[in-house]
Amino acid sequence: MSTLTFDIANALAGLLVLVSFLMLYQVRLPAVLDMLALHAGVLAAAVAWQAHVQGVPELYVTAAITLGFKAVAIPMALRRIIRRLGIHREIEVISGIGPTMLAGIGLVALSLEVMLPVTAHVDPVTREDIALALSVVLLGLLMMVTRRNAVSQVAAFLSLENGIDLAAAAARGMPLVVEISIAFSVLIAFLVIGVFLFRIRERFDTVDVRALDQFRGERR
Amino acid sequence: MSLLLLALLAKLAAAVAGALRARRPDGWGIVYGMSLGAAVLAALGALLAAPGAVVLPLGLPWIGVHLRLDALAAFFLLVVNLGAAAASLFALDDARHETAPERVLPFYPAFLAGLDLVVLADDALTFLFAWELMSLASWALVIAHHRESGNLRAGLVYLLMAGLSALALLFAFGLLAGTGGHYTFAAMRAAPPAGAAAGIALMLALFGAGAKAGIVPLHAWLPLAHPAAPSHVSALMSGVMTKVALYAFIRIGFDLLGATPWWSAVVLLALGGATAVLGILYALMQGDLKRLLAYSTVENIGIICIGLGLAMAFRSAGYAAGAALALTAALLHVFNHAMMKSLLFFGAGTVLHATGLREMDGLGGLLHRMPRTGFAVLVGCAAIAALPPLNGFVSEWLTLQAIMLRPDLPQWGLKVMIPTDGALLALAAALAGACFVKLFGVSFLGRARSAATATAADPGRLAQSAMLGLAMLCLLAGVLPGALIDLIAPVTNALLGARMPTQLAQPWLTLIPVAAARSSYNGLLIFAFIAAATWLTVRAVHRFASHDLRRAPAWDCGFPDLPAAAQYGGDSFAQPLRRVFAAPLFGARETVELPPPGSVAPARIEKHLPDPLWEILYAPVGSLVLRLADVMNRLQFLTIRRYLAFVFIALVALLLAIALWQ
């Protein structure tokens, strides 16, 4: 394998991590969704490159699904939702962007530290990709934990799922049927979450998840 | 071996029959009859069957069920099945009174089968399965009368302790099996753990067996659970199950583990001494007949533990003959206590059914109403109070002989502990004397303290024969202990490579622990002397005094019609001992309330007998568990973000652990 293919695969995966970081500090919801679309786009590119490198045509289908669903359809639908909810101009209050970014850097370091020794014997493309995919997953989790708005939590969840996709594509030989079923489950999750967002909104006049906690009668 | 398997099968069949026919009027007859037959069969098998092993194709497919009969198993099987046969015979009469047969009949034979199977098991899985069968079946019997107050709590405490004990044994076997994971006892014996692992395994076995046997401070469940069960089951639990628990310890400590470190003997000796003295002190303070007997079981377990500790100490010092003497004394006491405690529990059960009372302060004068029960209980009391020529004396005397051997042991711990245990054993024996004088005196002598007591009567013939048979065994084992000691010799030979001198070959059936020059005891001679002296005294009294007998009002200090409640009672009897021992040890207090001058209100005296062990050991653990549960409960009401954060933090922590560990 030439260094160029390796470099490109690495760069795309690194880019995905970078976009995860970008998403982490967006405070406006439309910006978060833009980043989500960008995230999925980069993922589609990374998967397509993997298809080319590995010579597996099914991965092109995966890339196409990713591009169509995650980069275009879902962000558009979410954008419609926030417009209909009237929260597209809201600024989300996030406490401590600086520490969050630092924690994210720590997570990336941790996942590299964990993954690189474990995957010592596999080929370098897979190795780097899996390490970076774990970083994307951890960053998505971190964002889910730090956000209060349900829409940005959904976006974080989807970016987390992108990380899993990247790992699967890099691990050589994820069957197409698995990819399609994952795509469908994401779609269904999206539908369910969308419905829930409206229901929450109807009841509580907000999509801030703190309202749910208050409804349950908790102190925290 | 096939005889034993047949008996085991018969017990399981009886359990099924009990489940099917519990509500029929003939159900109890079938179940107890079958149990009696099976127990007799198994006792015969234990006596006659040649040692052997068998692997049954049951249980886990690649392990099977290993059963093995060796000398140790045969001895314990004999004890278990003699007790079981007596209990079944007793129950054939006693079970008529059972109000909830469907809660007793299925579990009783299963309990017997569990006891047998523990002793016969030859691999860890079978052993633990049988152990749990024994625990759960007896738990079901403890809560058979679940509507009586306190029984459910007793059941819960029992279940917790039984679970802990099984857990400890599980870990002990895990250590014994080592990394190879060979669960048969033969494999464990071939490759015993070394160093710290051996010590930990032994302590775990001591905890596991001790929690079941009732070694202080793990005894708390015993006086709750044993009295709660129906009387014949109490007899089995107290007389037999505690011994089977000690069997587990002997099997691990003397058989499976090779050499044991000397400090384990110190631990065992210290626990044994404390158990003996505290157990009998608690027993002295009790007013409840069955609870007194249960606490006395704790004492006797302590005595056996002293014997086992001595055997362990002598073995680690390489003094095989002394170890054989100590182990023989312990095993002899196992047999003796199983017989006399069963007898006493049968007596208590008979009294309970005849009068409906367990509190001794309601009894009194029963000797006139129930002469045969009274006689049997008297023999049992004399035996357990270690009076010659009965069997309790022989085993305690042998234990003391072992203590007095005192070879040159290099370890300071043993140098201090062995004489201390001698003193504690002597103290326990003396207190036991007082305790059983109290039991017999308050319940069977004097005047009836309640109407129910005044109309009590002896039980049916079968129950009587169970009690008198056991009394006979107590006497025989006391007069001819040599036969039993020779029966135990193969056990000590197998475990320690030494044995006591052959007793039946001695002139005049004298009992000789080590050598005739040092000490000897002849039960037959003492029995003959006591019998002759009694006969002469009775003759003399009748000859010179009986026809001079004149019945007249006693000197009554000016109170002619004293109520029966004004007799010397159990609490009055125990008061001096309570003041001397229980006040400093348990913090017992008495408060006296005198009415003001001119008032006609009665004066009151109240005694408080707290249990410091419960307060120091069990209560903090209980409250800690509750507090932890309280803290954990908060986890149920967190926000979604916090749950996510938990998942996240857990994931990061695990990844960090991997990163650091690599």
Side-chain angles (χ1 to χ4, degrees), chain B residues 93 97 347 350-351 353-354 366-377 444 455-461 463-464 467-468:
Chain B
D93 251 340
H97 308 284
T350 307
V351 169
H353 281 145
L366 284 175
L367 192 59
H368 303 295
R369 314 267 162 243
M370 322 167 72
R372 296 192 181 165
T373 309
F375 173 71
V377 170
F444 285 89
T455 56
D458 263 334
R461 279 185 189 285
Q464 275 182 29
M467 284 190 281
L468 291 177

Side-chain angles (χ1 to χ4, degrees), chain B residues 71 74 92 226 247 276 296 333 380 425 453 459 472 533 540 556 620:
Chain B
L92 274 174
H226 285 187
Y247 162 82
S296 143
H333 202 68
L425 184 58
T453 309
M472 206 61 187
D556 50 20

Side-chain angles (χ1 to χ4, degrees), chain B residues 350-505:
Chain B
T350 307
V351 169
L352 176 62
H353 281 145
T355 65
L357 290 172
R358 268 165 50 178
E359 288 294 325
M360 285 192 284
D361 282 342
L363 304 172
L366 284 175
L367 192 59
H368 303 295
R369 314 267 162 243
M370 322 167 72
R372 296 192 181 165
T373 309
F375 173 71
V377 170
L378 180 60
V379 172
C381 285
I384 205 165
L387 294 185
L390 293 159
N391 56 353
F393 173 78
V394 179
S395 40
E396 291 192 26
W397 181 74
L398 278 181
T399 310
L400 276 171
Q401 291 298 319
I403 286 175
M404 282 186 243
L405 283 177
R406 286 179 58 197
D408 273 339
L409 296 174
Q411 293 90 1
W412 58 268
L414 290 172
K415 271 184 186 163
V416 175
M417 210 55 232
I418 290 179
T420 312
D421 263 359
L424 289 176
L425 184 58
L427 177 63
L431 289 173
C435 179
F436 285 92
V437 166
K438 166 180 158 175
L439 185 152
F440 192 78
V442 174
S443 327
F444 285 89
L445 304 180
R447 286 191 290 154
R449 291 181 178 81
S450 62
T453 309
T455 56
D458 263 334
R461 279 185 189 285
L462 292 176
Q464 275 182 29
S465 56
M467 284 190 281
L468 291 177
L470 284 178
M472 206 61 187
L473 268 178
C474 284
L475 182 66
L476 270 180
V479 173
L480 300 168
L484 271 174
I485 290 172
D486 287 351
L487 198 68
I488 294 171
V491 182
T492 58
N493 251 340
L495 296 183
L496 303 167
R499 54 167 295 173
M500 280 175 65
T502 310
Q503 302 297 329
L504 286 181

Side-chain angles (χ1 to χ4, degrees), chain B residues 471-559:
Chain B
M472 206 61 187
L473 268 178
C474 284
L475 182 66
L476 270 180
V479 173
L480 300 168
L484 271 174
I485 290 172
D486 287 351
L487 198 68
I488 294 171
V491 182
T492 58
N493 251 340
L495 296 183
L496 303 167
R499 54 167 295 173
M500 280 175 65
T502 310
Q503 302 297 329
L504 286 181
Q506 306 290 343
W508 297 101
L509 298 175
T510 306
L511 178 57
I512 293 170
V514 189
R518 282 186 80 149
S519 56
S520 64
Y521 165 75
N522 192 326
L524 199 59
L525 198 67
I526 291 194
F527 178 56
F529 173 76
I530 289 177
T534 313
W535 182 74
L536 278 178
T537 317
V538 168
R539 280 295 302 261
V541 167
H542 276 290
R543 174 81 180 72
F544 298 113
S546 282
H547 53 84
D548 291 337
L549 191 69
R550 184 169 59 87
R551 286 194 183 269
W555 181 59
D556 50 20
C557 298
F559 293 97

Side-chain angles (χ1 to χ4, degrees), chain A residues 107 110 113-114 117-118 134 138 141-142 144-148 153 212-213 216 218 220, chain B residues 634 636-645 647-648 651-653 655-656 658-659 662:
Chain A
L107 289 176
L110 176 66
E113 184 63 29
V114 170
V118 171
L134 182 64
L138 289 179
L141 255 176
L142 178 65
M144 282 182 86
V145 172
T146 49
R147 296 304 174 109
R148 291 224 165 83
Q153 280 189 344
L212 289 173
D213 303 336
R216 287 204 320 183
E218 275 132 18
R220 269 169 233 93
Chain B
R634 275 187 220 156
Q636 212 177 336
F637 304 101
L638 292 184
T639 62
I640 300 169
R641 274 181 66 220
R642 276 183 193 244
Y643 284 128
L644 278 175
V647 173
F648 179 62
L651 184 61
V652 169
L655 287 176
L656 263 178
I658 293 177
Q662 270 167 359

Side-chain angles (χ1 to χ4, degrees), chain B residues 90-292:
Chain B
F90 178 77
L92 274 174
D93 251 340
D94 196 61
R96 265 182 245 279
H97 308 284
E98 186 56 60
T99 48
E102 71 279 5
R103 293 175 176 277
V104 175
L105 291 185
F107 301 113
Y108 175 78
F111 179 41
L112 294 186
L115 289 168
D116 271 7
L117 207 54
V118 169
V119 176
L120 282 175
D122 197 35
D123 68 89
L125 280 174
T126 310
F127 184 94
L128 287 171
F129 172 79
W131 187 266
E132 288 292 274
L133 176 65
M134 173 178 93
S135 298
L136 289 179
S138 54
W139 170 74
L141 292 166
V142 164
I143 59 162
H145 299 155
H146 62 110
R147 288 188 208 288
E148 283 171 31
S149 72
N151 281 8
L152 279 180
R153 176 168 174 267
L156 180 66
V157 176
Y158 176 39
L159 200 60
L160 283 176
M161 291 305 279
L164 270 182
S165 106
L167 196 66
L169 282 179
L170 179 70
F171 283 122
F173 281 127
L175 279 174
L176 282 168
T179 46
H182 296 296
Y183 283 102
T184 59
F185 284 174
M188 292 180 185
R189 209 175 282 128
I200 295 171
L202 190 66
M203 287 304 112
L204 280 171
L206 182 60
F207 183 92
K212 199 93 186 127
I215 293 177
V216 170
L218 303 170
H219 68 289
W221 61 275
L222 194 146
L224 298 174
H226 285 187
S231 296
H232 58 291
V233 180
S234 308
L236 276 180
M237 287 178 77
S238 234
V240 173
M241 191 179 73
T242 53
K243 310 303 181 300
V244 170
L246 288 178
Y247 162 82
F249 180 74
I250 296 174
R251 178 61 78 192
I252 293 175
F254 285 86
D255 186 12
L256 300 184
L257 275 174
T260 46
W262 66 269
W263 54 261
S264 56
V266 179
V267 173
L268 202 54
L269 284 170
L271 286 178
T275 304
V277 170
L278 290 178
I280 197 64
L281 272 178
Y282 276 122
L284 254 172
M285 309 301 153
Q286 304 305 316
D288 179 321
L289 206 53
K290 286 176 86 172
R291 181 163 295 182
L292 183 151

